[in-house]
């Protein structure tokens, strides 16, 4: 089955579940335009598709200019040039065991009963610079990571020896420094060894001039480790975008503060800041700006100095206190999208002290804000980071139960659980844009295409993975 089997319908003009109790979402004017493909709505009537809006937003942003950052500051960033190694790894032949550096011929035929007895001429610790020369019949105690001394061809682990105790017993550990004969005396070795055994050769991991990481590599812990191992302290990357997240609404109080009548805890600034960090940004949360246009304008002007991107939530609809519209209406264009939730969106570019700063104004309903972030803000952050793939991974799966909630003419994004093993997509909770409980259970967004009003169980559907 395919999602072509989703049932098509005419826009009934309701924000299904999305705006119950908030004006009930009457949309008659726009719906009429959408239902008739011959009509070409213009001006205030025009509605944009998700893809059109996303393309417009992405067209206005570019990757941030590269910077030299210290390794740990560059975690999660993408490199901008091929990085080659100026050094070999390992930098010198060294021991992979605590034991004795030996010449192979000296151990020929060694057994438990007839061990080879070698004279110790030195003790080589990791970091040793001056090395003893190992001649015939001689050996040196050596530690893991210590340079193989000249003359030695292999290392025997201490467990193959008596560690210089003279007891004839295999050692289980090395005598601590100073506690037993170390640089002198004899050691019994109970078996032969092959040339090169327990030796890690110079350059066997990385050779001088070898390509380490191609341009565009995301720096995770292992890549940072490799750069450190090859002596890099700085790396040229596109920096994390600095994203200022601010929520508007006079009803908002910070979580932890008792809520008074009509008040709610501000959750959007937390969810969106976390989402921005998750996308790779350096995010700053500015919570609860009251519904006063002058105040909001002031806060935004203050924040511009530290922002590569500003994300607001709330105040973009048609209410009397839709403060983002009031404060930024000149510089930001507000539009309605053919999606649910997330219909009202604002986007524009402000002038910051260091250049243009894009601003995305998301709707205030918490699920609308989060889904809008996933669809529009996350790709912007990824694009600023220099990623070539900016979108979340999409999968297809079999719908386990019917969906009947989708408004015609809108692409609906439902919270869902994707089971990779079973290849199924199960809606979680309702379509309401205030239903945060189910959002926290979901690992995917089920996409119900614009022209479908319902989808039968068993239909193959599209889902956007959230992790
Ligand atoms: N007459 C109409 N009313 C509404 C329409 C419409 O087309 N005509 N659209 C509805 C849709 S769809 C949405 S979405 C919302 C968007 O409204 P705003 O962006 O102006 O958001 P607010 O009114 O400020 O808040 C909406 C809702 O979300 C809660 N909220 C806001 N901020 C936060 C926050 N930081 N943390 C938690 N919750 C928050 C707020 O209390 C409201 O309940 O408009 C519909 N109305
Ligand atoms: O339903 Mo609104 O579209 O909740 O974002």
């Amino acid at each position: 089955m395919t999602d072509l089997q989703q049932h098509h319908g005419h826009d009934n003009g309701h924000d299904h579940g999305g705006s119950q109790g908030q004006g009930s979402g009457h949309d008659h004017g726009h719906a009429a335009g959408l239902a008739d493909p011959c009509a070409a709505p213009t001006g205030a009537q025009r509605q944009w598709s998700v893809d059109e809006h996303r393309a417009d937003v992405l067209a206005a942003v570019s990757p941030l200019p590269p910077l030299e950052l210290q390794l740990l500051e560059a975690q999660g960033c993408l490199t901008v040039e091929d990085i080659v190694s100026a050094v070999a790894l390992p930098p010198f032949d060294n021991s992979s065991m605590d034991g004795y550096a030996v010449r192979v011929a000296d151990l020929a035929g060694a057994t438990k009963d007839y061990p080879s007895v070698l004279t110790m001429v030195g003790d080589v610790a990791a970091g040793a610079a001056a090395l003893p020369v190992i001649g015939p019949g001689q050996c040196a105690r050596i530690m893991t990571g210590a340079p193989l001394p000249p003359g030695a061809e292999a290392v025997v682990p201490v467990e193959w020896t008596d560690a210089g105790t003279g007891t004839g017993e295999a050692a289980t550990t090395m005598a601590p420094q100073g506690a037993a004969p170390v640089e002198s005396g004899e050691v019994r070795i109970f078996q032969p060894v092959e040339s090169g055994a327990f030796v890690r050769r110079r350059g066997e991991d990385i050779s001088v001039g070898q390509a380490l990481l191609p341009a565009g590599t995301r720096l995770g812990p292992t890549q940072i480790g490799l750069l450190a191992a090859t002596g890099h302290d700085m790396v040229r990357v596109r920096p994390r975008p600095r994203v200022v997240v601010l929520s508007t609404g006079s009803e908002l109080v910070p979580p932890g503060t008792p809520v008074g009548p009509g008040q709610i805890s501000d959750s959007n600034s937390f969810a969106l800041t976390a989402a921005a960090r998750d996308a790779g940004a350096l995010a700053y949360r500015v919570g609860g700006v009251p519904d006063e246009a002058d105040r909001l304008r002031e806060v935004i002007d203050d924040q511009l100095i530290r922002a590569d991107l500003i994300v607001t939530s709330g105040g973009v609809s048609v209410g009397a206190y839709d403060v983002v519209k009031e404060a930024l209406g000149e510089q930001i264009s507000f539009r309605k999208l053919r999606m649910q939730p997330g219909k009202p969106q604002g986007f524009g570019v402000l002038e910051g002290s260091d250049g243009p700063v894009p601003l995305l104004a998301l709707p205030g309903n918490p699920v609308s804000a989060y889904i809008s972030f996933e669809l529009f803000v996350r790709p912007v952050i990824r694009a600023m980071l220099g990623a070539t793939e900016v979108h979340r991974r999409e999968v297809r799966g079999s719908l386990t139960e019917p969906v009947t909630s989708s408004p015609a003419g809108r692409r609906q994004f439902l919270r869902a659980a994707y089971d990779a093993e079973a290849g199924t997509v199960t809606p979680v909770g309702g379509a309401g844009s205030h239903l945060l409980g189910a959002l926290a259970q979901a690992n995917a967004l089920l996409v119900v295409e614009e022209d479908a009003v319902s989808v039968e169980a068993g239909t193959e559907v599209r889902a956007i993975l959230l992790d």
Side-chain angles (χ1 to χ4, degrees), residues 295-429:
R295 178 78 195 111
L296 177 62
R297 190 64 244 196
E298 242 173 64
V299 172
I300 289 177
D301 287 344
D302 282 355
Q303 294 295 330
L304 270 172
I305 192 155
R306 62 165 176 175
D308 296 309
L309 172 68
I310 297 180
V311 180
T312 66
S313 86
V316 298
S317 190
V318 295
Y321 305 97
D322 283 334
V323 65
V324 178
K325 260 187 161 168
E326 202 184 326
L328 299 171
E330 303 276 292
Q331 292 139 299
I332 302 295
S333 68
F334 291 88
R335 41 170 74 164
K336 290 191 174 176
L337 303 194
R338 296 195 296 274
M339 72 182 277
Q340 194 279 317
K343 181 177 64 171
Q345 300 283 341
F347 173 67
V349 179
L350 304 180
E351 207 40 57
S353 44
D354 294 337
V357 178
L359 181 146
L360 279 92
L362 312 183
N365 279 319
V367 179
S368 313
Y370 175 71
I371 290 177
S372 303
F373 182 98
E374 282 294 334
L375 296 178
F376 309 121
V377 184
R378 193 172 204 279
V380 166
I381 292 173
R382 307 294 306 155
M384 286 179 155
L385 279 163
T388 44
E389 182 48 74
V390 299
H391 299 304
R392 286 283 202 189
R393 204 153 61 85
E394 284 195 11
V395 291
R396 301 188 81 84
S398 175
L399 186 66
T400 58
E401 46 190 77
V403 167
T404 54
S405 61
S406 188
R410 302 264 181 96
R411 189 179 289 175
Q412 190 179 46
F413 296 89
L414 291 170
R415 288 120 268 184
Y418 171 65
D419 182 335
E421 216 162 284
T424 54
V425 179
T426 303
V428 180

Side-chain angles (χ1 to χ4, degrees), residues 15 22 247 251 264 266-268 315-318 322 343 363-365:
D15 275 350
Q22 296 174 35
S247 54
E251 75 278 29
I264 57 167
D266 169 13
S267 61
N268 286 350
V316 298
S317 190
V318 295
D322 283 334
K343 181 177 64 171
N365 279 319

Side-chain angles (χ1 to χ4, degrees), residues 110-112 115-116 159-162 168-171 188-192:
T111 65
K112 181 91 178 77
S116 292
E159 294 86 342
W160 296 11
T161 77
D162 71 349
E169 293 294 318
R188 283 166 180 69
I189 298 175
F190 304 124
Q191 62 186 82

